Amino acid sequence: MLKRRFGRTEMNLTVLTFGAMRIPPEKDETPEANFERALATLRRGLDVGINHIETARGYGLSEELIGKALQQGVIKRDEFYLTTKIGPRETAAEFDEALRDSMGRMGVDYVDNLDIHGINTPELITMSTSPGGCFDAVKTAIADGRVGHIGFSTHGPVEVIVDAIETNLFESVNLHYYYMNQRNLRAVQAATEKDMGVFIISPTDKGGQLFNPSAKLKELCSPYTPIEFNQRWLLSQPEVHTLSLGAANPWEYDAHLKMANVDGPLSADEQIILNRLDEAMSNVGISFCSNCQACLPCPEDVAIPEILRLRNLVKAFDMVEFGKYRYKMLAYKEEETGERKGGIGHWLPGAQGTFCTDCGDCLPRCPLNLPIPELLRESHSLMSGEVGKRLWE
Ligand code: SF4
Ligand code: SF4
């Protein structure tokens, strides 16, 4: 498997990273079955050549499962680099306690790379980097040898990511960037200028649930699978160093292995696939949203750019299921009471299109003169599963 230098950390990581978010227990799974599945999945990851395991304090039992695998000798600590992620805390003491807790759960005395998890807002940059905060705990942990390097993960807007990069405090970034969502290109470039490691979060799932592609997307990517093409597109960019693969079962690596050994720029044949995808996107036509974000803020907190980005994917590639999967994570309006419910906060900010009041504030800000309220209504119909029914009419 190809390896790449992870920026100035100088770690030589494989282009695939095992992301441990999916090894915690599944619904109706016994602890014994979970344990067997987690161990077999971890072991197969290392056997196919992966040399980096990434987990988080917030991924349920994943740290414990890694700890048990180590304790039982199923995996050995010197076989892999280890990253864990811990969310920002108010004080250095709290952050240090969380780090010690994570390391205790894994039974390790050294973490190669520690990410501050979810720097999604300017406030969280401040909380993470202010004197007396998380960064002081990180500096102590690096000085006493518990931690090798410091990075951050983010689901935030590109402006926030670039600001966090510009602090010069981090050696790597863990972010969303895929063929289907290229909004963070500027952050990838900013990280490259700082010689930071660039880790791509879950390209197969967050990059379009490519394990369940539409017939149209399959045809456009042929003879590759959509998983393969997205992986190839990412790794054709030397700025990208490693892609997380959130396998839940040992066989889930197979779809990813072919492209983990292909390096260099896209070939002429691969460029033809890219051109086909770009053309399908251009066929969205005059209702295409460029995701420029200029329409924000919306007084009703409607997530206009994200909704219209998903609409682009539905129109261009028939990615209805992916659209529904992401759309339902936005805050929704309860039909009976009209109350705002759900949502995942700063991990995917904003609300569904049903909150639009047709106030018109966004319209003059859109450089493409899109009829935003109308497109939001259509998007809701397409992605709420209520095709043809406009709930607020
Ligand atoms: S028209 Fe709708 S989407 Fe646009 S700003 Fe007003 S409420 Fe928000
Ligand atoms: S301003 Fe227009 S093009 Fe830009 S994100 Fe908003 S709707 Fe899309």
Side-chain angles (χ1 to χ4, degrees), residues 295 297-304 353 355-363 365 372-373 376:
C295 47
C298 160
E300 306 302 328
D301 195 29
V302 176
I304 307 169
F355 286 88
C356 174
T357 58
D358 276 292
C359 74
D361 284 7
C362 55
L363 295 173
R365 294 197 287 260
I372 293 172
L376 291 172

Side-chain angles (χ1 to χ4, degrees), residues 46-159:
L46 300 184
D47 288 344
V48 299
I50 289 174
N51 76 353
H52 181 209
I53 293 178
E54 181 239 19
T55 184
R57 179 77 178 75
Y59 291 168
L61 289 176
S62 89
E63 288 180 331
E64 278 98 329
L65 290 165
I66 291 167
K68 282 189 188 173
L70 281 166
Q71 200 183 18
Q72 297 204 357
V74 174
I75 59 174
K76 297 194 171 53
R77 184 65 189 88
D78 59 5
E79 289 184 284
F80 60 92
Y81 292 102
L82 177 62
T83 288
T84 195
K85 309 194 292 296
I86 295 174
R89 303 288 197 275
E90 294 283 351
T91 66
E94 287 171 83
F95 192 83
D96 187 66
E97 188 185 333
L99 172 61
R100 287 178 191 279
D101 188 26
S102 271
M103 294 176 72
R105 281 150 41 120
M106 292 188 284
V108 297
D109 56 10
Y110 179 69
V111 173
D112 300 274
N113 184 53
L114 175 64
D115 278 352
I116 299 186
H117 194 183
I119 298 194
N120 299 335
T121 65
E123 293 74 24
L124 291 172
I125 298 180
T126 305
M127 187 197 283
S128 302
T129 60
S130 296
C134 313
F135 226 85
D136 281 1
V138 170
K139 279 191 273 189
T140 304
I142 289 176
D144 66 24
R146 282 176 292 149
V147 168
H149 303 280
I150 179 69
F152 72 100
S153 72
T154 179
H155 291 210
V158 67
E159 296 77 14

